[in-house]
Amino acid sequence: MNQFRFSRRPDIGDKVRVSFEFFPPKNDEMEARLWDTVTRLEPLKPKFVSVTYGAGGSTRERTARTVGRILKETSLTPAAHMTCVDAARHQVDAVIQEFAELGVKRFVALRGDPAAGVGTAYRPHADGYANGAELVGAMRDAGDFDISVSAYPEKHPESPDFATDIDMLKRKVDNGATRAITQFFFDNDLYERYVERARRAGIYIPIVPGILPVHNFTQVANFSARCGALVPAWLAERFEGLQNDPQTHALVASAVAAEQVLDLVERGVGDFHFYTMNRADLVFAVCHMIGIRSHEAEAAGSAAA
Ligand code: FAD
């Protein structure tokens, strides 16, 4: 049967590395949820955890506060996302400096979306960095940072074609990016084709798939339409009729995400970046399936054996 194609090999966990993405909380309740999530995922020893940066720099302080708390209170390595929307170069440089003084050594460098919203025309600040590649260059000049950038397996909606899109990724790599993290996608063939295109263009950095466990199919479908990610018909069918059945929705979502990740493992992928949406359960379950486990779980497993 199809679903048993990917039996867990005991050695998978040794070959696979994960990172987790969080967004900075807006209020006390969201803050509590984020810290429950961080506490649950920390024992899985991710390579790093990243904290997003709001549109137009609107969450700069909250991103810094969240990153600072991760540095102080956990064993995790945080990466701060940064965008250069609507900011002059000196302002962006000051934020890079501020993060560096906090102890940040990793960044995820992004141009960001236009302040007027996704789909409106992007206009760089007159004295600002024009795109992700220029921001990467500024970070490289500011210090010895590990710099990740974005990549778009289905091309960025503003890119007229794949060649333009890949060219931007190449510029980011030439400026110092050492890893690309992809926009989420649900069709692994599209990811594989994109990686092949990048390799043909002389891009050899890891292109880490961004995995989005589907916490709410309706929201994901709406967001996908805005950011140019395809929602295959088979995915819509899996979640059909589950809008008012959160328990089954969650079970299906963890099966779908595990299936996607296990298929990518079969294709030789070793690094995964999870968009956690500040929730632990689905990500924790998928990590378990690929052999990423806390020491406590491993110990309990060996004791039972
Ligand atoms: P770039 O890499 O600079 O450009 C994206 C594409 O647009 C390029 O491929 C290029 O071909 C095309 N392009 C750029 N400029 C032009 C131009 N002038 N004319 C024609 N084409 C052009 N957003 C946030 O606000 N905060 C975050 O924390 C955040 N984190 C993200 C993390 C990941 C892993 C990803 C994939 C996205 C994230 N985003 C975030 C969303 C991102 O800001 C948007 O997708 C934004 O529209 C593009 O930013 P970028 O850095 O990818 O752009």
Side-chain angles (χ1 to χ4, degrees):
M1 274 167 74
N2 186 42
Q3 64 266 42
F4 293 125
R5 219 161 16 123
F6 317 112
S7 56
R8 176 188 176 250
R9 293 196 308 263
D11 60 334
I12 289 185
D14 301 336
K15 295 186 187 133
V16 172
R17 290 155 303 274
V18 294
S19 52
F20 303 135
E21 183 170 311
F22 305 121
F23 61 85
K26 280 196 187 126
N27 53 42
D28 291 349
E29 193 189 326
M30 288 168 81
E31 172 111 9
R33 193 175 87 196
L34 170 64
W35 285 96
D36 283 350
T37 300
V38 169
T39 308
R40 182 140 160 81
L41 296 180
E42 183 178 7
L44 302 184
K45 298 196 184 311
K47 195 176 162 80
F48 64 91
V49 295
S50 76
V51 182
T52 62
Y53 199 76
S58 56
T59 68
R60 182 178 60 80
E61 273 177 31
R62 282 188 276 127
T63 303
R65 208 176 326 128
T66 305
V67 164
R69 194 169 164 194
I70 290 171
L71 277 165
K72 259 199 229 107
E73 296 180 25
T74 75
S75 60
L76 299 166
T77 302
H81 289 222
M82 262 192 77
T83 70
C84 50
V85 180
D86 282 343
R89 286 167 189 242
H90 73 270
Q91 292 170 315
V92 173
D93 295 346
V95 179
I96 297 173
Q97 202 51 45
E98 188 187 318
F99 277 124
E101 281 162 18
L102 258 183
V104 168
K105 296 196 173 11
R106 286 175 181 264
F107 284 109
V108 181
L110 304 137
R111 183 199 72 181
D113 283 316
V118 179
T120 60
Y122 183 83
R123 292 193 209 301
H125 186 283
D127 183 33
Y129 296 112
N131 49 46
E134 289 194 9
L135 178 59
V136 171
M139 287 171 174
R140 181 205 51 207
D141 294 345
D144 184 17
F145 300 113
D146 176 288
I147 307 169
S148 298
V149 291
S150 57
Y152 298 88
E154 298 173 70
K155 82 178 182 54
H156 187 275
E158 282 172 53
S159 298
D161 48 44
F162 274 102
T164 316
D165 198 275
I166 296 278
D167 183 56
M168 176 60 80
L169 181 58
K170 180 85 168 71
R171 283 160 62 189
K172 294 192 263 197
V173 176
D174 291 345
N175 281 357
T178 51
R179 175 186 311 94
I181 300 170
T182 77
Q183 181 62 281
F184 67 87
F185 59 91
F186 298 107
D187 181 339
N188 289 349
D189 289 344
L190 295 175
Y191 164 80
E192 209 167 23
R193 241 174 273 153
Y194 182 85
V195 173
E196 281 163 17
R197 279 192 171 103
R199 301 297 182 236
R200 277 201 298 277
I203 296 168
Y204 300 112
I205 59 167
I207 300 177
V208 179
I211 304 295
L212 178 67
V214 181
H215 288 282
N216 180 322
F217 178 75
T218 310
Q219 277 172 14
V220 167
N222 289 339
F223 185 63
S224 301
R226 276 186 285 138
C227 67
L230 177 81
V231 175
W234 62 260
L235 187 68
E237 267 168 34
R238 298 258 177 111
F239 289 100
E240 208 169 57
L242 297 181
Q243 292 90 329
N244 300 318
D245 183 352
Q247 267 181 328
T248 312
H249 191 295
L251 290 168
V252 170
S254 82
V256 165
E259 212 178 320
Q260 178 177 21
V261 168
L262 287 166
D263 178 63
L264 287 165
V265 169
E266 293 280 313
R267 295 175 193 229
V269 177
D271 290 86
F272 294 91
H273 184 78
F274 286 94
Y275 294 105
T276 69
M277 307 308 288
N278 292 4
R279 290 168 188 273
D281 285 356
L282 295 183
V283 172
F284 196 89
V286 177
C287 284
H288 187 88
M289 297 273 286
I290 55 176
I292 305 270
R293 308 210 170 156
S294 65
H295 286 315
E296 292 79 6
E298 289 292 1
S302 356

